[in-house]
Amino acid sequence: MKTVYDVQQLLKQFGIFIYTGNRLADLDFMEDEIRELYEYGLIEQSDFTAATLILRNEKRKYKTS
């Protein structure tokens, strides 16, 4: 997993589609959903960690641009 698109594909496997039209809100919602999937034991810790890092990095890039 290397991009936000990869995170979206992971969420899609669970029937989760996120698009609000607000990029920052989308990233926040994706992070929340990834956290819930991990807490319920549906994804591995490695996927959780990778997805969280990708989303936080993307949020940081979005906020500075």
Side-chain angles (χ1 to χ4, degrees), residues 18-49:
I18 297 174
Y19 180 76
T20 63
N22 179 331
R23 180 70 169 169
L24 195 53
D26 288 349
L27 295 169
D28 286 335
F29 285 136
M30 283 189 260
E31 190 173 345
D32 290 343
E33 292 295 332
I34 289 292
R35 186 176 297 107
E36 286 187 23
L37 290 173
Y38 177 68
E39 287 173 359
Y40 291 130
L42 299 173
I43 60 173
E44 299 291 324
Q45 182 177 5
S46 59
D47 289 333
F48 169 72
T49 303

